[in-house]
Amino acid sequence: MLREDGIALDDGSAARLAEDHFIVTTTTANAAKVYQHLEFVHQCLFPDMDVQLISTTEAWAQYAVAGPNSRKLLAKIIDPSFDISNDGFPFMACANITVCGGLRARLFRISFSGELAYEIAVPARYGDALMRRLMDAGKEFDVVPYGAEALGVMRIEKGHAAGNELNGPTTALNLGMGRMVSKVKDSIGSKLSERAGLNEANALMLVGIRPLDPDHKFTAGGHLMNRESAVSAVHDQGYVTSAAYSPTLNSMIGLAFLKNGGNRIGEKMRLVSPVTNLNVEVEIVSHHFVDPEGTRVRA
Amino acid sequence: MHDLTPITALGGIEPQVDTVAGLTLPENPDLALDSVAARFGQEAGCAKALQDLLGAAAPGPGKALLSEPLAAVWSAPNQWMIGARFSEHEDLADTVKAAVGTAGSVTEQTDAWVCFDLIGSGIPQVMELCCNINTRALAAGDATRTSIHHLGCFVICGDPEGFLRLLGPRASAGSLHHTLHTAMKSAL
């Protein structure tokens, strides 16, 4: 979702449950702001559009179920009349379903973790019971609950942008999503996103970084310098927005915005932060560290 | 019939009930809620459909229709919240949608809200510690939205002599309950 000036406002999802029914999700902290934005657009920009908006944030308890056995687990609680095979419920599908013998629920096949994953929602009063049922049914698959830190590592491994990357001045182009903004269909932000200043050849682009020495550590906030340059703000090439230790790759990894980053994959650079005495050599890589082909989410 | 056990907004199997002096504060999970908003150009049709469903005209601004089995409260221009006993109308959304058809958009709101009732004496003394509504001036069927403890709430007067219904955001049920209970202990 873009602002009028082409800057990214929020990232979320839009699920179409029916011809006339969409569910829109937002970054948690932006929920009220996005709702306000939608109401402004409806009331002030397009008052003749026949659309009704209401928040349902608290009405549903929603859980992500992720991993190679997520479909098998869900098959144990989703009522059998619903086909959740890969063909019957492909990546990015959504539907109203029932679970556990008839309780209304919603199923979304989306993945922030990069794994084969779903999100399942039931009315909030049944959320506790559903979670207990999932944990019980998942014992044969060694199911474990996972939290925000694990999710944070997985989404960085996958290269998914999040709040760190939607930091105020970034555009869809910076995020590597420029082609998602249609040049044919009008949308809020599309026109001003074409401003020359936002589309220069050396525009910041989202990339991945890895330390040349896998034992080297770093945090977000450091700046990227050409190895032959003096370390100073004048020579700043970009900055790191997210960093985590990847147990999959046995190395620190990070997401960064780098000038002309799309054409600098493979380049060796220096990551510095004079404030924290950080100075390590890194390689610029694709920000899709794990499963770049997306075979897991489409399994 | 599914076999999942629900919990209340305060996290219990049974609803919590607190009493201070002559005033009781029961948590009320037996409430199904749905929002209905008239579609563009369908305002009259939606209102007529609701009138047929409710047995009376849908309420206007600042009002609630206190009726059985379905009740309603005005929430915005051409928008209402419809309520009924959850134990009898868990499928309220289907009922309302069947009634309004394509004249309105209906969403289930049941578990978006926690319902606390204030029953007994001393309601104005408690509420004047909680929000800016002149509770003493409320008549049966008066309803409004306000902020209690920074939480957006519906306040619905069932009986000025001793029944007030509060709807607050479910995820903040604990905070709202704490506010109301603390106010009761302070005021009574």
Side-chain angles (χ1 to χ4, degrees):
Chain A
M1 188 175 289
L2 303 181
R3 299 184 331 210
E4 288 273 15
D5 61 1
I7 302 297
L9 170 66
D10 187 67
D11 82 293
S13 64
R16 191 171 197 174
L17 289 182
E19 178 69 25
D20 59 355
H21 186 190
F22 292 80
I23 305 287
V24 175
T25 69
T26 77
T27 283
T28 304
N30 269 354
K33 185 197 293 188
V34 169
Y35 189 22
Q36 183 181 40
H37 174 67
L38 290 172
E39 281 287 0
F40 169 78
V41 172
H42 180 218
Q43 294 183 35
C44 303
L45 303 184
F46 301 102
D48 293 337
M49 272 194 182
D50 186 10
V51 60
Q52 295 75 46
L53 307 166
I54 194 163
S55 171
T56 60
T57 299
E58 306 198 23
W60 298 84
Q62 186 154 324
Y63 300 95
V65 181
N69 291 320
S70 54
R71 181 182 292 119
K72 292 178 185 174
L73 171 52
L74 287 173
K76 295 179 72 174
I77 64 141
I78 293 175
D79 292 333
S81 61
F82 298 99
D83 179 6
I84 61 165
S85 66
N86 195 27
D87 290 333
F89 205 80
F91 182 52
M92 299 302 277
C94 63
N96 288 307
I97 60 169
T98 62
V99 300
C100 301
L103 177 66
R104 61 199 176 283
R106 295 166 170 179
L107 186 67
F108 309 88
R109 187 172 163 186
I110 53 177
S111 176
F112 193 52
S113 61
E115 297 291 314
L116 169 63
Y118 303 77
E119 293 194 12
I120 183 163
V122 292
R125 69 180 62 200
Y126 297 108
D128 176 83
L130 177 68
M131 185 63 176
R132 293 177 191 277
R133 185 64 54 85
L134 286 168
M135 292 301 295
D136 186 57
K139 283 178 184 169
E140 66 173 289
F141 307 118
D142 295 324
V143 68
V144 292
Y146 72 102
E149 173 127 7
L151 179 61
V153 172
M154 284 189 283
R155 72 95 185 168
I156 294 172
E157 288 178 337
K158 188 61 184 170
H160 282 150
N164 296 21
E165 287 72 43
L166 277 70
N167 56 17
T170 50
T171 66
L173 178 74
N174 300 145
L175 294 165
M177 300 179 188
R179 282 180 291 184
M180 291 178 69
V181 183
S182 173
K183 301 267 190 292
V184 176
K185 179 177 72 70
D186 189 26
S187 62
I188 292 174
S190 64
K191 186 54 63 179
L192 291 186
S193 69
E194 295 175 11
R195 289 178 285 163
L198 298 180
N199 292 277
E200 294 175 346
N202 67 342
L204 293 172
M205 299 293 291
L206 188 64
V207 296
I209 61 168
R210 288 182 69 162
L212 296 188
D213 181 343
D215 290 332
H216 280 170
K217 298 176 176 47
F218 53 78
T219 58
H223 284 255
L224 292 163
M225 302 281 163
N226 293 324
R227 282 199 294 185
E228 66 278 10
S229 300
V231 175
S232 78
V234 172
H235 300 116
D236 186 17
Q237 296 294 300
Y239 57 95
V240 176
T241 53
S242 299
Y245 180 79
S246 167
T248 306
L249 302 169
N250 296 312
S251 169
M252 292 293 298
I253 58 173
L255 301 177
F257 287 113
L258 176 65
K259 291 179 180 178
N260 193 25
N263 294 312
R264 301 174 75 172
I265 303 298
E267 194 170 317
K268 310 290 193 295
M269 303 190 73
R270 190 168 292 282
L271 174 62
V272 302
S273 172
V275 175
T276 57
N277 293 321
L278 175 69
N279 192 329
V280 299
E281 289 191 301
V282 298
E283 179 182 1
I284 307 303
V285 298
S286 164
H287 57 291
H288 303 299
F289 294 91
V290 174
D291 188 31
E293 298 83 14
T295 54
R296 293 186 188 184
V297 294
R298 290 176 173 81
Chain B
M1 185 67 190
H2 70 83
D3 61 349
L4 295 177
T5 302
I7 58 173
T8 71
L10 288 178
I13 299 296
E14 297 298 326
Q16 187 165 327
V17 181
D18 296 281
T19 300
V20 177
L23 188 62
T24 300
L25 174 69
E27 179 187 13
N28 181 6
D30 189 22
L31 183 63
L33 292 165
D34 286 277
S35 71
V36 57
R39 292 187 171 178
F40 194 64
Q42 305 285 328
E43 294 81 3
C46 186
K48 174 66 169 65
L50 286 178
Q51 182 167 349
D52 292 342
L53 177 68
L54 296 168
K63 295 295 183 185
L65 175 66
L66 305 174
S67 55
E68 296 273 357
L70 269 57
V73 61
W74 185 92
S75 55
N78 299 301
Q79 185 173 323
W80 298 266
M81 196 78 79
I82 312 297
R85 294 187 197 282
F86 180 85
S87 53
E88 298 166 10
H89 296 277
E90 184 169 352
D91 60 350
L92 182 61
D94 295 337
T95 302
V96 176
K97 184 58 180 176
V100 302
T102 56
S105 292
V106 177
T107 61
E108 179 174 343
Q109 287 278 304
T110 298
D111 285 344
W113 302 90
V114 58
C115 176
F116 290 111
D117 293 330
L118 284 169
I119 305 172
S121 59
I123 291 175
Q125 293 93 310
V126 172
M127 290 300 290
E128 62 197 9
L129 294 179
C130 294
C131 66
N132 61 355
I133 298 173
N134 183 0
T135 320
R136 298 171 198 276
L138 293 178
D142 285 342
T144 189
R145 300 177 83 161
T146 187
S147 177
I148 298 175
H149 204 49
H150 306 285
L151 303 169
C153 295
F154 284 92
V155 177
I156 303 165
C157 179
D159 181 349
E161 298 305 315
F163 186 93
L164 198 70
R165 173 155 289 178
L166 304 166
L167 302 179
R170 182 188 178 92
S172 302
S175 297
L176 181 57
H177 174 265
H178 178 262
T179 294
L180 295 170
H181 194 213
T182 303
M184 289 166 66
K185 289 186 285 186
S186 296
L188 304 177

